[in-house]
Amino acid sequence: QVPLVESGGGSVQAGGSLRLSCEASGYGYSGYCMGWFRQAPGKEREGVAHIDTDGTTSYADSVNGRFTISKDNAKNTLFLQMNSLKPEDGAMYYCASEASPARCYRSRATLNLIQTFKYRGQGTQVTVSS
């Protein structure tokens, strides 16, 4: 099992910002694509953002222009900067990683594949109040 540990969640008012982090350990992080997906109570899981091994990023339409995914390979850490948060962004956010180049490539256009990645963390809660 490859540990992924998310942090940075919390409660914020609409219009505010949060920065999520996901620390990976125990493997060659730079060779894995990574992403974030979320799940709100009573709703299906939703792929939010993806970053491939070459740095190519993809976003769900619902967050495009507000969220930014990035990673620091030296620190084995993935980030999700979330700005202009809306109440509907409130959810449990999970990071996930995948080693298969084919699955990574397909995930660029099909973000919901992120939830099927080989490794994922325990999640961090984001609450946005109106």
Side-chain angles (χ1 to χ4, degrees), residues 14-94:
S17 298
L18 284 173
R19 189 191 195 201
L20 305 185
S21 299
C22 171
E23 185 174 355
S25 62
Y27 65 108
Y29 171 80
S30 62
Y32 286 65
C33 68
M34 299 192 74
W36 294 91
F37 69 93
R38 65 188 181 186
Q39 187 168 25
K43 295 186 178 181
E44 293 186 354
R45 292 173 181 171
E46 176 189 20
V48 173
H50 174 267
I51 185 165
D52 212 334
T53 54
D54 65 354
T56 300
T57 57
S58 303
Y59 298 93
D61 290 343
S62 58
V63 306
N64 196 25
R66 300 187 296 120
F67 290 12
T68 302
I69 188 171
S70 62
K71 62 180 180 175
D72 184 332
N73 287 334
K75 297 182 179 180
N76 282 359
T77 303
L78 178 73
F79 301 101
L80 185 68
Q81 178 67 44
M82 306 187 296
N83 298 329
S84 301
L85 282 162
K86 303 176 181 180
E88 52 264 41
D89 293 319
M92 186 70 81
Y93 283 72
Y94 301 87

